[in-house]
Amino acid sequence: MNVPKTYSDWVYCFERLKEGNIDDQVISTMEKGSIEWTKGVAERFTEQLYAVLENRLKQSEEQLQRNINNSKGNKSHIAKALLDARKRLSVLNRVAMLPALPENVRETMEYVIKDFAGKTMKSLEESAKSDRTGHLGMEIKKNSLLKFGDLNNHQSSSNVQPNLHSESTGVQPNKQKGRRIILP
């Protein structure tokens, strides 16, 4: 795979990311890439990147739900499901922090991932309230999805929530209500 330098090179990488088969190879190549950030390219590029993140977040949500459903309430299986989801979010965070992206785009994409993790955690914590022992809730907090940034070297440089409707990014995120992950 060639290091992306043109819009079409990047689109090829985005397509490989959607497939999800060779993430490390694709992301390592993308981290070395560059692109001339002109108005038309910036908008299309950002829309493509956002589509990849949304697609992969949806897949992650579905996989987490399947894993939780298959856990049959076993706390260690639920913990593994959460850790697996956190790893998937960490991979997406690497994509959001690509050096070729301007800072405002990195912040926006990181916010999309953090928002997903926050809404999912809220849903999990609400579902865990039905466990009278409180053990399930403790397991969920201990294996929080919000710690996805701890799994890679690319830490956020800002706690500011960016403007998701920024004209410079061209991204118009979907207005979604909280994600629903229901524990068995």
Side-chain angles (χ1 to χ4, degrees), residues 5-169:
K5 296 186 187 310
T6 65
Y7 176 73
S8 62
D9 292 342
W10 282 97
V11 169
Y12 178 80
C13 291
F14 292 151
E15 291 301 319
R16 301 300 71 79
L17 278 177
K18 280 184 184 177
E19 294 167 3
N21 300 325
I22 53 172
D23 288 342
D24 276 339
Q25 179 185 354
V26 174
I27 296 170
S28 293
T29 301
M30 291 170 74
E31 288 172 336
K32 299 171 193 162
S34 62
I35 190 161
E36 188 175 333
W37 205 254
T38 61
K39 183 176 176 150
V41 169
E43 290 169 0
R44 289 181 303 171
F45 182 100
T46 306
E47 287 172 5
Q48 288 282 332
L49 175 60
Y50 181 76
V52 168
L53 289 180
E54 278 296 304
N55 176 274
R56 292 291 297 268
L57 288 172
K58 183 178 183 212
Q59 290 175 3
S60 182
E61 177 182 26
E62 291 168 356
Q63 183 65 48
L64 177 59
Q65 185 67 62
R66 272 192 304 274
N67 291 346
I68 287 175
N69 289 344
N70 292 335
S71 74
K72 296 183 179 22
N74 181 304
K75 287 182 281 194
S76 65
H77 291 152
I78 290 172
K80 183 177 179 345
L82 290 167
L83 291 174
D84 288 347
R86 198 161 81 187
K87 287 177 188 174
R88 289 189 297 274
L89 293 177
S90 178
V91 167
L92 296 180
N93 195 52
R94 276 183 66 195
V95 174
M97 296 291 105
L98 290 170
L101 303 175
E103 185 65 27
N104 65 330
V105 174
R106 285 194 300 257
E107 288 175 354
T108 299
M109 297 306 160
E110 183 181 38
Y111 175 75
V112 168
I113 298 166
K114 284 181 178 180
D115 186 54
F116 169 85
K119 287 177 179 176
T120 303
M121 281 301 297
K122 184 176 180 180
S123 176
L124 287 166
E125 289 167 353
E126 279 297 313
S127 294
K129 287 180 181 178
S130 64
D131 174 31
R132 292 183 181 166
T133 67
H135 294 296
L136 189 56
M138 289 183 348
E139 200 66 38
I140 289 170
K141 286 182 183 177
K142 184 170 77 173
N143 296 293
S144 174
L145 297 179
L146 298 172
K147 297 178 184 176
F148 66 85
D150 297 347
L151 298 177
N152 62 42
N153 296 328
H154 303 283
Q155 298 297 318
S156 172
S157 59
S158 171
N159 291 328
V160 177
Q161 293 183 2
N163 178 359
L164 290 177
H165 298 287
S166 171
E167 291 178 21
S168 61
T169 64

